[in-house]
Amino acid sequence: MKEMEKAVLKYYKKIARRLGKTTPPEIIGLMTGNYSLARETQRRVDQATLTAIQKNNISVIERFNYLAFGRAVWGRASRFGGNTLERELLFLRQRWQNRGLDMAILEEIEQRVRQVLY
């Protein structure tokens, strides 16, 4: 069984145990479907970020920060759109650059994540 299938099954068991008596099975099925979709999107975002990391020979110590940036881009893109999204991403890049990350790599990660999402 794949890792993702195990995670979805674990989530299903958890919500079925907590909400099974009060929530219709159709709703639990929808919740599990939403979790599965989010989990797959996160995997694709992480893969896009790792591609940029490997291309730029980022050290193992810094990988965590770049992965966190990629997930933050995904979070902003799922909440905002248009000019607000552009402004949020500008602030996000500046924040991570102030933490010592390379702006060119941050921009590449942002572009790769946006390609995955759109």
Side-chain angles (χ1 to χ4, degrees):
M1 188 179 279
K2 295 180 182 177
E3 181 182 328
M4 185 172 150
E5 291 172 352
K6 287 181 183 178
V8 171
L9 182 61
K10 181 179 176 182
Y11 177 77
Y12 175 80
K13 288 179 180 179
K14 180 176 108 176
I15 62 172
R17 184 175 57 248
R18 290 183 180 176
L19 305 174
K21 295 178 182 175
T22 59
T23 306
E26 307 85 51
I27 302 298
I28 292 176
L30 286 173
M31 292 171 68
T32 305
N34 290 341
Y35 175 80
S36 177
L37 180 63
R39 182 84 181 202
E40 175 62 22
T41 304
Q42 181 182 8
R43 186 194 65 75
R44 290 178 26 225
V45 165
D46 286 350
Q47 186 61 44
T49 304
L50 283 171
T51 301
I53 288 171
Q54 291 168 351
K55 177 184 167 203
N56 291 291
N57 295 324
I58 303 300
S59 70
V60 174
I61 294 172
E62 293 179 318
R63 286 183 184 195
F64 173 79
N65 292 321
Y66 285 105
L67 279 169
F69 173 76
R71 289 182 179 185
V73 169
W74 171 38
R76 298 303 192 287
S78 66
R79 284 192 300 268
F80 303 108
N83 291 335
T84 305
L85 175 60
E86 296 304 320
R87 193 172 53 246
E88 285 290 322
L89 292 176
L90 174 65
F91 293 146
L92 190 64
R93 283 192 309 269
Q94 289 173 348
R95 181 180 310 140
W96 284 92
Q97 183 183 29
N98 291 341
R99 293 177 182 175
L101 302 184
D102 186 294
M103 180 61 89
I105 298 172
L106 294 175
E107 289 172 350
E108 180 180 349
I109 289 171
E110 178 186 331
Q111 291 305 314
R112 288 178 183 270
V113 169
R114 290 176 109 179
Q115 287 174 354
V116 165
L117 298 176
Y118 304 117

